[in-house]
């Protein structure tokens, strides 16, 4: 492992290495060009604050993006970065990771980039379980092209390209990730910075594809899209913070919870009719994604909006499998010999 | 076409006289399920190992199994072999092996006058004749007069041959291609060993099938030896190829071998990203077998992801390769543009097929030249090179990687369906003959700038993730000179567009001079590129033998063009450009060099015949 001026001693585990990196080391010299007040600033700040905690040398980080407002992200991270083409970041990232599995690879995408033009690549990266940290900034609008509806825009939404309201049924990013067999699925909110930072860190420490949807406010073309539940005063009643192994409770005094009736979840008041024991207990690591999927179906305003880690399971990682296959072949057949290869098959000599 | 000399003493154990000839063209044709590709490949490999020069043309339908006995279901394999240099699969077969009426109907017109037709007599019954659209049986109605027709009840004889193996009638019938192969082996005095060994290794685990195929092959050979239908057989001496060790290679196999070689000679990991597409899929299949070399193959979810992952691998310091055919290149266009903008090495292989759109997936064409040179948005220069024979695909991959890494650029390598599936003897190079492809990564923190340029090549540094102190960002937005930062400055854009063009144009100084076949001046020059070299060279040779002052050149580097073309053209009274499209190189030469010429073209999904090139040139001289 190449480390920045630090000697690794035998009793130090990799998590404990102090690389003496801090937030400033990850701030690039480029002027940030998002609109003032954009939710992207908060995500960038939390990322720059979080990555020094990972024990990974700066030169091993790669941020890869597609096209859209969020995809300018790599320019602002003082790491290796690749601003690729619309929707295709997961493909580029897969190649980077396979070529050098020691790299810590992030994919930054948006609702249009990741779910519309790049939907195919997103699901295939996830189902392969490539060790990528995919952060999808969901602002439910096309911002960079100035305000057309996106695949996550709600039905009936009036935008520049839907003056009579959208007739497209929106897609739920987390449902897509779970359907693609994602091993790590989470959701966070741009302005809930502490929770956002923690969620990004957990995602980064997951081996395999981690998929994080971040509700991100576009204050120019879709301002306040998430205000009904993200505003500080409303969060306690309208947001369900998922915690592994704990009952699903919310409300100012945690007086409400989620129980299940048959196959249907319901909001219950803890008191006369329901006790804490009646509530659903969150479990991130169930091998079947049924519970995680059920949670993605909790729609506001009937339900609080769940945030945190929905699912977190271990499965073989793609670049490991690729490397293992090569090692196994080399162990069994010996390392390839070019001269032998060129001279293989039926040969004959002309003198 | 072939010169015959009667030999007085019979060879091998055979009692029948042997006639020596210089070359022969055989076409095996049958249903898609009749195993004609296998039969052709076996004949090819036996003949190659025997020491003849060869050239082959597999010709099969896009459908895996069209209805049995139907015309669209006919699959063919043509081989030209001889004691002299063989450059093409042959204009017309001397011998046609037709396993059913449909195969006869589809292929008969191509046969030389007085040629030999070997038919499976058993298959010429009413239902098959009907499916092939014959109103009467051609074997009986006199329509095959003028040909030498050899009727063999192949199905019956095969079933007799295998009756002790325990296979049922249906399974047993499948062996009839080996019976036919045995007959043709006898006709051309070929040893059976190679195919017997192959049957042994292929069916070793299935004794009944092993025994049946072995029996069918041997019975076929013995049948030809004993029956009175065959009076003579033919021998063809070994070809006088350049000394060395040889193997038989198809173009796609050669690309895979070349890619592994590029990996070894560059000291980098090869990453092959691809999506299955005819006729390029064999490259993916071949390379996926080379795990022990550390080759990483990635069957992507689509053409776009395939090139995207390959470009990502190049960014990370590997050598990215992606292979496809024309429709796939269309999808990859945006990523090729990104590779041009980010100036990363990448090789894109296009195994051209008939187009546009899905076109003729299994047939050959050269109609993606414009796409290769121009097919992207913006001013997007990409070096383009074209392989000219199956074996040359190996050397072309090495050349493509050399240019890609030396100049930090994507490179388009053009092959085609004919080169991809066709094969020829390939002289195995020794390791010392292979070019060094080691190009260093950037490491110097003090001087590093992502878009600084090498003075000579104008290439930018290759700084790979994991290198301390060289962290930088690249992408598809216009780059500021030196820093690589995003820049919308009008003058910077103008400079960068010109710089990228100049870098690619400069490669012209780094390619070998054009070789002229024939005299350096004369009445006519035939110009070609890609898979037509064999036909053009043979046409030139035969025109010269007639006393005409004809020469030919073959352009390997299409973009940039070799700098000596204008001079070469000026030394000939007339210039012809022969290609399998409607004149794309012809247009390109006029547009870029103001060089006028006469276009010779056809787009029938087949290689040129030597005769058609000769005819077009002779008409104008």
């Amino acid at each position: 492992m190449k480390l920045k001026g630090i000697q690794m001693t035998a009793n130090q585990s990799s998590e404990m290495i102090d690389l003496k990196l801090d937030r400033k080391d990850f701030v690039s010299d480029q002027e940030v060009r998002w609109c003032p007040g954009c939710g992207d600033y908060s995500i960038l700040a939390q990322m720059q604050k979080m990555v020094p905690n990972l024990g990974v040398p700066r030169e091993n980080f790669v941020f890869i993006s597609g096209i859209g407002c969020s995809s300018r992200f790599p320019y602002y991270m003082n790491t290796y970065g690749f601003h690729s083409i619309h929707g295709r970041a997961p493909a580029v990232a897969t190649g980077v990771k396979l070529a050098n599995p020691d790299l810590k690879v992030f994919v930054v995408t948006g609702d249009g980039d990741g779910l519309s033009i790049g939907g195919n690549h997103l699901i295939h990266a996830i189902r392969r379980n490539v060790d990528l940290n995919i952060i999808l900034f969901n602002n439910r609008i096309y911002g960079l092209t100035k305000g057309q509806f996106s695949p996550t825009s709600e039905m009936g939404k009036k935008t520049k390209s839907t003056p009579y309201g959208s007739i497209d049924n929106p897609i739920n990013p987390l449902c897509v990730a779970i359907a693609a067999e994602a091993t790590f699925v989470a959701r966070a909110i741009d302005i809930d910075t502490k929770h956002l930072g923690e969620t990004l860190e957990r995602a980064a420490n997951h081996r395999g594809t981690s998929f994080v949807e971040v509700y991100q406010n576009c204050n120019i073309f879709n301002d306040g899209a998430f205000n009904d539940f993200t505003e500080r005063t409303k969060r306690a009643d309208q947001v369900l913070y998922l915690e592994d192994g704990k009952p699903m409770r919310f409300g100012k005094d945690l007086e409400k919870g989620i129980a299940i009736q048959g196959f249907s979840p319901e909001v219950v008041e803890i008191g006369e009719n329901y006790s804490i024991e009646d509530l659903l207990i969150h479990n991130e690591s169930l091998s079947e994604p049924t519970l995680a999927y059920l949670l993605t179906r909790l729609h506001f305003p009937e339900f609080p909006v769940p945030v945190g880690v929905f699912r977190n399971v271990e499965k073989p990682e793609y670049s490991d499998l690729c490397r293992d296959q090569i090692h196994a072949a080399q162990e069994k057949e010996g390392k390839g010999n070019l001269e032998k290869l060129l001279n293989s098959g039926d040969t004959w000599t002309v003198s | 076409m072939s010169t015959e000399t009667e030999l007085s003493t019979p060879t091998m154990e055979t009692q029948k006289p042997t006639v020596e000839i210089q070359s022969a063209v055989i076409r095996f044709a049958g249903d898609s399920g009749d195993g004609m590709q296998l039969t052709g490949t076996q004949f090819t490999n036996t003949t190659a190992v025997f020491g003849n020069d060869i050239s082959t043309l597999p010709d099969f339908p896009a459908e895996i199994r069209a209805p049995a006995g139907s015309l669209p279901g006919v699959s063919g394999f043509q081989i030209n072999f001889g004691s002299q240099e063989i450059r093409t699969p042959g204009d017309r077969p001397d011998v046609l092996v037709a396993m059913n009426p449909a195969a006869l109907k589809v292929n008969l017109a191509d046969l030389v006058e007085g040629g030999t037709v070997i038919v499976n007599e058993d298959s010429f019954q009413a239902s098959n004749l009907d499916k092939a659209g014959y109103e009467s049986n051609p074997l009986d109605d006199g329509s095959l007069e003028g040909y030498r027709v050899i009727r063999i009840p192949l199905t019956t004889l095969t079933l007799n041959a295998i009756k002790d193996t325990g296979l049922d009638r249906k399974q047993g019938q499948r062996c009839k291609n080996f019976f036919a192969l045995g007959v043709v082996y006898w006709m051309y005095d070929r040893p059976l060993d190679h195919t017997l060994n192959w049957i042994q290794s292929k069916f070793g685990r299935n004794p009944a099938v092993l025994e049946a195929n072995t029996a069918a092959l041997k019975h076929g050979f013995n049948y030809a030896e004993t029956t009175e239908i065959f009076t003579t057989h033919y021998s063809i001496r070994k070809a006088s190829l350049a000394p060395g060790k040889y193997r038989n290679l198809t173009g796609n196999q050669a690309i895979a071998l070349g890619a592994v070689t590029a990996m070894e000679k560059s000291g980098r990991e090869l990453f092959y990203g691809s999506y299955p597409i005819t006729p390029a899929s064999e490259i993916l299949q071949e390379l996926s077998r080379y795990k022990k070399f550390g080759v990483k193959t990635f069957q992507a979810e689509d053409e776009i992801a395939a090139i995207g992952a390959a470009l990502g691998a190049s960014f990370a310091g590997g050598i990215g390769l992606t292979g496809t055919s024309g429709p796939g290149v269309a999808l990859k266009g945006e990523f090729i543009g990104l590779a041009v903008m980010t100036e990363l090495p990448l090789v894109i292989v296009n195994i051209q097929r008939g187009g546009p759109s899905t076109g003729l997936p299994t047939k050959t064409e050269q109609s993606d030249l414009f796409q290769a040179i121009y097919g992207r948005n913006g001013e997007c220069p990409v070096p383009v090179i074209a392989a000219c024979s199956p074996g040359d695909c190996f050397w072309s991959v090495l050349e493509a990687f050399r240019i890609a890494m030396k100049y930090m650029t994507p490179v388009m390598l053009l092959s085609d369906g004919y080169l991809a599936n066709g094969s020829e003897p390939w002289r195995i190079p020794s390791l010392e003959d292979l070019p060094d492809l080691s190009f260093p990564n950037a490491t110097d923190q003090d001087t590093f700038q992502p878009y600084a340029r090498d003075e000579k090549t104008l290439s930018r540094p290759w700084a790979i993730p994991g290198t301390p102190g060289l962290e930088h960002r690249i992408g598809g937005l216009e780059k500021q000179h030196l820093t690589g930062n995003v820049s919308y400055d009008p003058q910077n854009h103008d400079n960068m567009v010109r710089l990228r063009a100049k870098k690619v144009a400069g490669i012209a100084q780094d390619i070998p001079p054009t070789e002229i076949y024939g005299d350096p001046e004369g009445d006519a020059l035939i110009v070609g590129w890609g898979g037509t070299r064999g036909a053009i060279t043979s046409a030139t040779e035969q025109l010269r033998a007639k006393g005409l002052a004809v020469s030919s050149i073959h352009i390997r580097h299409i973009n940039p063009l070799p700098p000596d073309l204008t001079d070469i053209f000026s030394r000939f009274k007339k210039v012809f450009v022969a290609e399998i499209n409607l004149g794309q190189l012809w247009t390109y030469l006029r547009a870029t060099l103001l060089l006028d010429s006469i276009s010779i073209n056809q787009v029938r999904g087949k290689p040129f015949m030597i005769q058609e090139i000769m005819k077009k040139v002779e008409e104008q001289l």
Side-chain angles (χ1 to χ4, degrees), chain A residues 2 30 59-60 74 78-83 91 95-96 98 120-121 124 128 325 330 336 341-344 346-348 350, chain B residues 48 194 241 243-247 291-293 296 298 301-302 304 309 312 464 466-467 470-476 485:
Chain A
K2 283 177 233 139
Q30 296 299 293
E59 64 271 17
N60 280 3
N78 190 16
T79 63
Y80 285 92
F82 202 152
H83 179 212
V96 168
L98 285 177
N120 194 28
H121 308 303
H124 287 279
R128 294 186 185 109
Q325 224 174 32
Q330 289 175 337
L341 176 69
L342 296 179
N343 285 275
S344 64
D346 294 320
T347 61
W348 69 96
V350 175
Chain B
H194 180 274
L241 298 168
K245 196 170 169 189
Y246 284 80
R247 65 186 285 193
K291 288 272 182 286
K292 65 178 171 184
F293 286 87
K296 290 175 177 167
F298 177 62
E301 57 270 23
D302 60 26
I304 301 172
I464 68 171
T467 315
L470 303 192
E471 292 87 350
H472 66 287
R473 277 65 57 192
I474 56 172
N485 290 332

XYZ file of all heavy atoms in Angstrom, chain A residues 2 30 59-60 74 78-83 91 95-96 98 120-121 124 128 325 330 336 341-344 346-348 350, chain B residues 48 194 241 243-247 291-293 296 298 301-302 304 309 312 464 466-467 470-476 485:
475
model
N 0.609 2.150 -0.924
C 1.403 3.390 -0.955
C 0.765 4.400 -0.012
O -0.413 4.701 -0.103
C 1.402 3.970 -2.376
C 2.339 3.236 -3.312
C 2.205 3.834 -4.699
C 1.914 2.766 -5.735
N 0.940 3.168 -6.720
N -10.344 24.250 -8.062
C -11.340 24.739 -9.009
C -12.478 25.481 -8.300
O -12.959 25.039 -7.256
C -11.916 23.576 -9.809
C -10.883 22.889 -10.674
C -10.279 23.830 -11.696
O -10.951 24.281 -12.608
N -8.991 24.164 -11.521
N -4.288 9.524 -3.331
C -4.073 9.167 -4.742
C -4.863 7.923 -5.166
O -4.917 7.603 -6.340
C -2.584 8.971 -5.037
C -1.915 7.816 -4.298
C -1.346 8.217 -2.943
O -1.740 9.297 -2.424
O -0.523 7.462 -2.395
N -5.448 7.238 -4.175
C -6.225 6.050 -4.541
C -7.718 6.318 -4.698
O -8.487 5.407 -4.970
C -6.009 4.937 -3.505
C -4.692 4.207 -3.736
O -3.931 4.576 -4.625
N -4.415 3.202 -2.929
N -16.643 15.742 -9.545
C -15.225 15.359 -9.518
C -14.265 16.546 -9.647
O -13.165 16.518 -9.086
C -15.075 14.425 -10.721
C -16.438 13.855 -10.910
C -17.378 14.982 -10.558
N -10.149 17.068 -4.802
C -8.730 17.019 -5.164
C -8.241 15.563 -5.140
O -7.414 15.177 -4.313
C -7.900 17.891 -4.222
C -6.476 18.034 -4.727
O -6.193 17.742 -5.881
N -5.582 18.456 -3.847
N -8.802 14.789 -6.040
C -8.440 13.371 -6.189
C -8.342 13.124 -7.687
O -8.475 14.054 -8.477
C -9.555 12.460 -5.632
O -10.747 12.683 -6.409
C -9.853 12.750 -4.168
N -8.137 11.890 -8.084
C -8.295 11.572 -9.494
C -9.783 11.658 -9.824
O -10.637 11.304 -8.990
C -7.748 10.173 -9.809
C -6.235 10.166 -9.836
C -5.507 9.871 -8.692
C -5.546 10.505 -10.992
C -4.112 9.900 -8.706
C -4.154 10.537 -11.022
C -3.442 10.230 -9.871
O -2.077 10.281 -9.899
N -10.086 12.144 -11.008
C -11.482 12.314 -11.356
C -11.710 12.173 -12.847
O -10.818 12.430 -13.653
N -12.897 11.721 -13.196
C -13.231 11.532 -14.614
C -14.682 11.962 -14.808
O -15.603 11.305 -14.327
C -13.038 10.057 -14.997
C -12.837 9.814 -16.477
C -12.106 8.717 -16.909
C -13.362 10.659 -17.447
C -11.910 8.460 -18.265
C -13.179 10.427 -18.790
C -12.438 9.313 -19.205
N -14.859 13.067 -15.484
C -16.177 13.589 -15.834
C -16.505 12.988 -17.201
O -16.034 13.463 -18.222
C -16.067 15.118 -15.894
C -17.336 15.822 -16.266
N -17.331 16.996 -16.973
C -18.623 15.541 -16.027
C -18.586 17.416 -17.146
N -19.380 16.547 -16.588
N -20.189 2.510 -16.134
C -19.385 1.697 -17.055
C -17.905 2.062 -16.932
O -17.039 1.195 -16.807
C -19.864 1.899 -18.494
N -14.684 -0.270 -15.358
C -13.384 -0.490 -16.000
C -12.233 -0.065 -15.108
O -11.216 -0.757 -14.998
N -12.387 1.076 -14.451
C -11.332 1.581 -13.554
C -11.111 0.585 -12.411
O -9.985 0.203 -12.093
C -11.713 2.966 -12.995
C -10.793 3.360 -11.851
C -11.665 4.021 -14.109
N -11.925 -2.629 -12.223
C -11.389 -3.918 -12.660
C -9.901 -3.800 -12.988
O -9.121 -4.699 -12.695
C -12.149 -4.436 -13.882
C -13.548 -4.990 -13.621
C -14.208 -5.393 -14.935
C -13.507 -6.202 -12.696
N -29.592 1.630 -17.671
C -29.057 0.304 -17.975
C -27.742 0.050 -17.247
O -27.545 -0.987 -16.626
C -28.850 0.213 -19.495
C -28.632 -1.209 -19.961
O -29.104 -2.145 -19.334
N -27.921 -1.375 -21.055
N -26.838 1.035 -17.317
C -25.522 0.832 -16.697
C -25.639 0.736 -15.182
O -24.921 -0.014 -14.540
C -24.579 1.963 -17.078
C -24.522 2.181 -18.553
N -24.172 1.178 -19.426
C -24.804 3.262 -19.315
C -24.239 1.639 -20.665
N -24.620 2.898 -20.625
N -26.798 -2.714 -14.106
C -25.804 -3.777 -14.342
C -24.597 -3.645 -13.423
O -24.031 -4.657 -12.998
C -25.409 -3.826 -15.810
C -26.506 -4.402 -16.658
N -26.709 -5.754 -16.762
C -27.499 -3.809 -17.365
C -27.768 -5.974 -17.537
N -28.261 -4.812 -17.911
N -23.799 -6.687 -10.635
C -22.486 -7.347 -10.595
C -21.818 -7.172 -9.233
O -20.832 -7.829 -8.947
C -21.566 -6.755 -11.663
C -21.997 -7.030 -13.075
C -20.956 -6.525 -14.086
N -21.462 -6.710 -15.434
C -21.863 -5.733 -16.243
N -21.769 -4.474 -15.851
N -22.325 -5.995 -17.432
N -10.383 -15.402 -10.416
C -10.431 -16.296 -11.573
C -9.064 -16.344 -12.269
O -8.605 -17.403 -12.682
C -11.496 -15.789 -12.547
C -12.366 -16.875 -13.080
C -13.509 -16.356 -13.934
O -13.380 -15.327 -14.606
N -14.605 -17.072 -13.906
N -3.964 -19.174 -13.143
C -2.498 -19.162 -13.113
C -1.967 -20.259 -12.202
O -0.924 -20.856 -12.478
C -2.000 -17.788 -12.657
C -2.227 -16.736 -13.734
C -1.870 -15.337 -13.292
O -1.847 -15.047 -12.099
N -1.615 -14.468 -14.249
N 0.864 -17.361 -17.982
C 0.908 -17.438 -19.441
C 2.304 -17.199 -19.984
O 3.041 -16.363 -19.473
N 2.172 -19.548 -26.347
C 0.860 -19.218 -26.907
C 0.945 -19.049 -28.420
O 0.141 -19.588 -29.176
C 0.310 -17.947 -26.261
C -1.017 -17.454 -26.830
C -2.149 -18.407 -26.466
C -1.342 -16.047 -26.345
N 1.950 -18.286 -28.859
C 2.082 -18.041 -30.299
C 2.333 -19.339 -31.044
O 1.897 -19.513 -32.176
C 3.221 -17.045 -30.567
C 3.036 -15.626 -30.016
C 4.243 -14.771 -30.333
C 1.773 -14.977 -30.574
N 3.021 -20.261 -30.390
C 3.375 -21.518 -31.045
C 2.372 -22.639 -30.777
O 2.650 -23.792 -31.062
C 4.773 -21.965 -30.585
C 5.851 -21.128 -31.247
O 6.266 -21.416 -32.361
N 6.275 -20.066 -30.579
N 1.211 -22.299 -30.220
C 0.239 -23.342 -29.886
C -0.598 -23.724 -31.095
O -0.535 -23.081 -32.142
C -0.656 -22.864 -28.744
O -1.403 -21.742 -29.169
N -2.000 -26.377 -34.154
C -1.283 -27.204 -35.132
C -0.250 -26.349 -35.842
O -0.603 -25.359 -36.478
C -2.275 -27.759 -36.172
C -3.254 -28.716 -35.539
O -2.824 -29.503 -34.682
O -4.448 -28.667 -35.887
N 0.988 -26.718 -35.743
C 2.030 -25.937 -36.408
C 2.801 -26.839 -37.374
O 2.766 -28.056 -37.252
C 3.033 -25.360 -35.387
O 3.644 -26.446 -34.700
C 2.339 -24.458 -34.380
N 3.467 -26.230 -38.317
C 4.353 -26.970 -39.210
C 5.503 -26.062 -39.602
O 5.389 -24.843 -39.503
C 3.597 -27.492 -40.425
C 3.133 -26.438 -41.393
C 3.749 -26.025 -42.531
C 1.935 -25.658 -41.286
N 3.017 -25.049 -43.140
C 1.891 -24.798 -42.410
C 0.893 -25.602 -40.354
C 0.867 -23.886 -42.627
C -0.134 -24.697 -40.574
C -0.149 -23.852 -41.692
N 8.438 -24.855 -42.303
C 8.904 -24.794 -43.691
C 10.385 -24.465 -43.645
O 10.774 -23.491 -42.986
C 8.137 -23.707 -44.479
C 8.707 -23.570 -45.886
C 6.643 -24.015 -44.521
N -3.307 -27.120 -44.366
C -2.279 -26.194 -43.889
C -1.105 -26.964 -43.318
O 0.060 -26.705 -43.670
C -2.869 -25.266 -42.824
N -4.795 -35.875 -39.077
C -5.151 -34.660 -38.360
C -6.603 -34.695 -37.900
O -6.918 -34.413 -36.755
C -4.896 -33.435 -39.239
C -5.240 -32.166 -38.548
N -6.515 -31.643 -38.550
C -4.499 -31.354 -37.783
C -6.531 -30.560 -37.818
N -5.320 -30.349 -37.342
N 6.655 -21.535 -49.093
C 6.487 -20.379 -48.215
C 7.844 -20.000 -47.643
O 8.771 -20.802 -47.661
C 5.536 -20.743 -47.069
C 4.108 -21.142 -47.452
C 3.387 -21.748 -46.273
C 3.342 -19.951 -47.989
N 10.762 -19.608 -45.111
C 11.096 -20.550 -44.045
C 10.587 -20.065 -42.693
O 10.531 -18.872 -42.432
C 12.631 -20.585 -44.051
C 13.029 -20.026 -45.371
C 11.945 -19.096 -45.800
N 10.216 -20.998 -41.857
C 9.746 -20.625 -40.525
C 8.705 -21.608 -40.039
O 8.372 -22.571 -40.718
N 8.235 -21.329 -38.858
C 7.205 -22.181 -38.280
C 5.857 -21.510 -38.538
O 5.738 -20.295 -38.385
C 7.471 -22.319 -36.787
C 6.727 -23.445 -36.129
C 7.279 -23.628 -34.722
C 6.429 -24.554 -33.897
N 6.850 -24.544 -32.493
N 4.886 -22.314 -38.922
C 3.586 -21.757 -39.312
C 2.452 -22.352 -38.490
O 2.562 -23.462 -37.965
C 3.301 -22.063 -40.782
C 4.067 -21.199 -41.741
C 5.399 -21.485 -42.045
C 3.466 -20.102 -42.336
C 6.113 -20.687 -42.924
C 4.171 -19.304 -43.225
C 5.494 -19.601 -43.512
O 6.182 -18.808 -44.376
N 1.388 -21.603 -38.425
C 0.117 -22.159 -37.965
C -0.985 -21.501 -38.775
O -0.768 -20.453 -39.396
C -0.085 -21.925 -36.463
C -0.223 -20.456 -36.103
C -0.274 -20.251 -34.604
N -1.579 -20.650 -34.065
C -1.968 -20.339 -32.828
N -1.149 -19.683 -32.011
N -3.152 -20.697 -32.391
N -7.027 -16.263 -19.371
C -6.974 -15.768 -17.990
C -5.571 -15.885 -17.387
O -5.150 -15.038 -16.625
C -7.952 -16.570 -17.110
C -9.410 -16.263 -17.369
C -9.886 -15.096 -16.529
C -11.352 -14.810 -16.751
N -11.639 -14.169 -18.030
N -4.875 -16.954 -17.733
C -3.575 -17.167 -17.087
C -2.565 -16.080 -17.469
O -1.551 -15.919 -16.812
C -3.032 -18.565 -17.385
C -2.709 -18.824 -18.824
C -2.130 -20.216 -18.988
C -2.007 -20.563 -20.462
N -1.545 -21.925 -20.657
N -2.856 -15.361 -18.553
C -2.002 -14.222 -18.907
C -2.395 -12.968 -18.116
O -1.743 -11.944 -18.203
C -2.106 -13.921 -20.407
C -1.380 -14.913 -21.261
C -1.999 -16.066 -21.678
C -0.060 -14.699 -21.620
C -1.336 -17.002 -22.453
C 0.622 -15.616 -22.395
C -0.018 -16.780 -22.810
N -8.112 -9.403 -18.739
C -9.422 -9.183 -18.150
C -10.422 -8.947 -19.274
O -10.273 -8.013 -20.052
C -9.379 -7.987 -17.194
C -8.566 -8.325 -15.940
C -8.373 -7.171 -14.993
C -7.612 -7.657 -13.761
N -7.119 -6.540 -12.943
N -14.487 -8.406 -20.278
C -15.711 -7.882 -19.672
C -16.803 -7.915 -20.723
O -16.751 -7.153 -21.688
C -15.439 -6.455 -19.181
C -16.641 -5.757 -18.591
C -17.276 -6.262 -17.462
C -17.118 -4.578 -19.149
C -18.370 -5.612 -16.911
C -18.212 -3.915 -18.605
C -18.848 -4.436 -17.482
N -23.035 -4.841 -20.604
C -24.479 -4.869 -20.821
C -24.853 -4.300 -22.193
O -25.939 -4.560 -22.687
C -25.206 -4.084 -19.717
C -24.792 -2.619 -19.560
C -23.639 -2.441 -18.582
O -22.887 -3.418 -18.377
O -23.484 -1.339 -18.021
N -23.978 -3.531 -22.783
C -24.231 -3.037 -24.135
C -22.924 -2.513 -24.732
O -21.880 -2.523 -24.080
C -25.345 -1.968 -24.161
C -25.039 -0.735 -23.321
O -23.842 -0.432 -23.122
O -25.990 -0.069 -22.865
N -22.065 0.430 -25.464
C -21.583 1.675 -24.869
C -20.786 1.369 -23.602
O -19.694 1.888 -23.389
C -22.779 2.605 -24.565
C -23.552 2.904 -25.856
C -22.306 3.895 -23.917
C -24.861 3.659 -25.636
N -16.057 0.950 -20.217
C -15.223 0.221 -19.265
C -13.789 0.120 -19.791
O -12.828 0.250 -19.026
C -15.800 -1.163 -19.012
N -12.195 3.376 -19.162
C -11.905 3.461 -17.730
C -10.641 2.688 -17.381
O -9.801 3.157 -16.608
N -1.645 7.880 -13.982
C -2.701 6.938 -13.602
C -3.039 7.030 -12.115
O -2.175 7.295 -11.283
C -2.338 5.490 -14.012
C -1.161 4.959 -13.210
C -2.019 5.415 -15.501
C -0.933 3.480 -13.429
N -3.585 6.329 -8.356
C -2.675 5.559 -7.511
C -1.296 6.189 -7.468
O -0.477 5.825 -6.631
N -1.045 7.153 -8.368
C 0.256 7.826 -8.377
C 0.190 9.049 -7.460
O -0.586 9.975 -7.728
C 0.616 8.294 -9.810
O 0.339 7.241 -10.720
C 2.073 8.705 -9.890
N -0.137 13.281 -8.376
C -0.575 13.598 -9.743
C -2.101 13.629 -9.861
O -2.646 13.528 -10.965
C -0.004 12.590 -10.750
C 1.510 12.428 -10.815
C 1.908 11.618 -12.042
C 2.226 13.774 -10.842
N -2.781 13.770 -8.726
C -4.232 13.800 -8.778
C -4.686 14.906 -9.735
O -4.205 16.028 -9.660
C -4.818 14.080 -7.380
C -4.622 12.956 -6.367
C -3.292 13.027 -5.627
O -2.422 13.844 -6.024
O -3.115 12.276 -4.655
N -5.585 14.550 -10.635
C -6.092 15.527 -11.591
C -7.427 15.042 -12.117
O -7.787 13.877 -11.927
C -5.106 15.725 -12.750
C -4.958 14.496 -13.610
N -4.264 13.369 -13.190
C -5.429 14.192 -14.844
C -4.316 12.448 -14.137
N -5.022 12.919 -15.160
N -8.135 15.911 -12.779
C -9.465 15.593 -13.287
C -9.471 15.757 -14.803
O -8.939 16.752 -15.318
C -10.528 16.536 -12.699
C -11.057 16.158 -11.333
C -10.064 16.202 -10.190
N -9.437 17.498 -10.014
C -8.373 17.709 -9.235
N -7.810 16.730 -8.559
N -7.846 18.921 -9.134
N -10.074 14.768 -15.469
C -10.254 14.903 -16.915
C -11.729 14.700 -17.237
O -12.499 14.273 -16.383
C -9.401 13.878 -17.705
C -9.721 12.441 -17.237
C -7.932 14.184 -17.559
C -9.072 11.382 -18.107
N -12.086 15.013 -18.460
C -13.486 14.848 -18.827
C -13.753 15.348 -20.229
O -12.838 15.725 -20.959
N -15.008 15.341 -20.595
C -15.385 15.651 -21.968
C -15.508 17.136 -22.282
O -15.628 17.506 -23.447
N -7.696 22.068 -17.132
C -8.926 22.546 -16.486
C -9.991 22.837 -17.539
O -9.686 23.073 -18.700
C -8.642 23.841 -15.694
C -7.786 23.551 -14.467
O -7.817 22.445 -13.919
N -7.010 24.539 -14.053
